[in-house]
Amino acid sequence: MNHTYVIIMAGGVGTRFWPFSRNNNPKQFHDVLGTGKSLLQQTASRFDGVCPPENIYIVTSTEYYGLVKEQLPFLADDQILLEPNRRNTAPCIAYASYKIASKDPKATVIVAPADHIILKEDVFREKIGVAVEAAQNNDILITLGIQPTRPDTGYGYIQYLAADGLVKKVKTFTEKPLLDIAIKFLESGDFVWNAGIFVWNVKAIRKAFASYLPEVAEVFEAGEKDYYTEQEKSFIDKAYMLCKNISIDFGIMEKADNVYVVLSDLGWSDLGTWKSLYDVSEKDERQNVVNGKQLLYDTSKCIIKTSGDKLVVVQGLEGYIVAEHGGVLMICKIDEEQRVRDFVADAKQFGNEFI
């Protein structure tokens, strides 16, 4: 267990959750489900017993250092990796992996986003255990695969080879396909969603970076003498200027021939949108998800999340998002939630405090 590490990616803005998620306080730092813990805190606690607390690393944006320190006070500063710019998941994972490898060349790392929901945590730990055991001594890249319930174009899809055993070879890896292709994937029956949760040893991931993203590998290899020193920040500031914006999925997973999947029924959601929050939340007798002080009349199939200091009265709505936070009230059809990005862009004219 002492050679097992966790990398939690917590630097995103979560625009699609506006107005709840803001630039200065994005969704991973909020108690989205009303559990008393933020999504980040839930994610960190999910790894209790998987690795020691000192082996948990958070990669986040520089401006969120205070939020991470406040919510996870057990972390030492060396465990909070601050990105000066957002460069997507490949540089984020490279930074953490190369830093951990400089300290522990025998390390096996688990990579997880900070904003996912996993309802079956015991099953999650079991599947992670399977993946860690397989990754410890094998040059393979493992991801968790979720049985798809709809042809969603926002997820990566994994086609796996039928075989005995819990760790299955991946045949193809397709990131965010078009709708007609996603429909065919579901019909075929041998595709699963990529949960964005990865397991590998540091030797395997460094080899993958060297093969498929050599320019990224070169950047972070150069920092070996600077990790865990006062020079690390200066090095990272320069390193990120040299990194392109690319995901680990596009950069490595789609290209590598040593990718494996552990099929997992976790009660998983990436919680990327208001609709995904609606889907995983408890509903009243009229299929509403409510949070706050509310009076509802002739209202059904809505998600209504407001601050507790206001009484909200809603009449005659079906299939709407009603969200109020930080001086912004948004009312939007759930089926048109993709327009939230447009709302955020247009709200800039009223000042940065609203975005």
Side-chain angles (χ1 to χ4, degrees):
M1 192 171 78
N2 289 334
H3 292 294
T4 302
Y5 294 76
V6 172
I7 300 167
I8 299 175
M9 300 180 289
V13 176
T15 302
R16 291 178 295 174
F17 247 114
W18 185 83
F20 186 68
S21 185
R22 301 290 182 88
N23 284 339
N24 65 349
N25 194 7
K27 64 177 177 179
Q28 60 267 29
F29 301 109
H30 289 267
D31 178 9
V32 174
L33 295 178
T35 63
K37 289 183 178 181
S38 71
L39 292 174
L40 174 63
Q41 290 170 321
Q42 284 186 299
T43 302
S45 66
R46 200 169 289 144
F47 292 99
D48 289 348
V50 174
C51 75
E54 62 269 22
N55 286 10
I56 294 178
Y57 287 68
I58 312 296
V59 189
T60 191
S61 295
T62 303
E63 62 263 39
Y64 304 146
Y65 168 81
L67 287 168
V68 173
K69 198 72 173 176
E70 176 186 345
Q71 295 195 2
L72 300 176
F74 66 86
L75 294 174
D77 281 355
D78 273 336
Q79 295 170 260
I80 305 174
L81 282 58
L82 301 176
E83 296 182 290
N85 312 99
R86 292 183 178 89
R87 290 290 186 265
N88 215 316
T89 53
C92 161
I93 291 170
Y95 175 17
S97 298
Y98 279 82
K99 178 173 179 172
I100 291 168
S102 72
K103 176 183 180 180
D104 185 356
K106 296 181 180 179
T108 297
V109 299
I110 304 158
V111 181
D115 55 357
H116 287 190
I117 287 176
I118 292 173
L119 301 178
K120 302 177 183 178
E121 295 202 337
D122 289 343
V123 177
F124 171 76
R125 292 188 183 96
E126 176 190 332
K127 298 297 184 181
I128 286 293
V130 169
V132 167
E133 184 176 354
Q136 281 174 341
N137 300 308
N138 295 291
D139 180 15
I140 57 177
L141 310 175
I142 302 174
T143 183
L144 300 190
I146 308 296
Q147 185 65 41
T149 56
R150 61 188 182 276
D152 199 305
T153 59
Y155 298 149
Y157 285 75
I158 299 164
Q159 183 184 27
Y160 60 91
L161 297 173
D164 293 335
L166 299 174
V167 184
K168 301 182 185 298
K169 184 82 165 62
V170 169
K171 183 178 181 181
T172 61
F173 190 109
T174 306
E175 175 66 359
K176 297 180 180 178
L178 297 173
L179 180 59
D180 58 338
I181 296 175
I183 291 171
K184 290 178 181 176
F185 285 173
L186 254 69
E187 291 172 348
S188 75
D190 58 350
F191 282 82
V192 290
W193 283 334
N194 169 31
I197 300 168
F198 306 104
V199 182
W200 42 56
N201 66 59
V202 289
K203 179 183 176 183
I205 192 59
R206 288 181 57 156
K207 184 177 178 181
F209 272 108
S211 298
Y212 306 110
L213 289 174
E215 66 280 11
V216 175
E218 185 177 346
V219 166
F220 290 100
E221 279 175 358
E224 188 159 354
K225 67 181 186 304
D226 297 315
Y227 298 129
Y228 301 97
T229 73
E230 292 181 356
Q231 285 72 48
E232 182 174 336
K233 181 183 183 302
S234 176
F235 165 74
I236 288 300
D237 287 345
K238 295 174 184 175
Y240 267 68
M241 293 175 63
L242 301 173
C243 288
K244 61 182 177 181
N245 188 313
I246 188 167
S247 72
I248 195 75
D249 303 306
F250 279 121
I252 290 179
M253 303 303 284
E254 283 195 6
K255 300 171 183 174
D257 58 4
N258 60 336
V259 180
Y260 287 75
V261 64
V262 175
L263 305 186
S264 309
D265 177 12
L266 307 174
W268 171 88
S269 171
D270 75 340
L271 209 65
T273 64
W274 283 104
K275 175 67 164 58
S276 62
L277 177 58
Y278 176 85
D279 288 342
V280 300
S281 298
E282 290 188 14
K283 301 169 183 64
D284 65 16
E285 65 277 5
R286 300 205 61 173
Q287 296 301 297
N288 294 306
V289 174
V290 295
N291 183 267
K293 296 177 182 176
Q294 295 149 4
L295 292 173
L296 306 184
Y297 303 89
D298 309 316
T299 293
S300 61
K301 300 178 182 177
C302 291
I303 179 166
I304 304 169
K305 189 172 180 66
T306 59
S307 56
D309 60 340
K310 295 181 177 67
L311 173 63
V312 176
V313 182
V314 179
Q315 188 276 329
L317 291 186
E318 180 177 344
Y320 271 81
I321 303 162
V322 180
E324 179 268 330
H325 184 77
V328 177
L329 170 65
M330 182 188 75
I331 303 171
C332 171
K333 291 181 178 179
I334 289 180
D335 290 344
E336 296 186 32
E337 66 169 356
Q338 70 276 6
R339 298 186 63 184
V340 172
R341 290 185 187 274
D342 299 331
F343 302 159
V344 174
D346 293 341
K348 289 179 182 178
Q349 63 185 295
F350 297 103
N352 290 333
E353 68 269 25
F354 294 114
I355 60 170

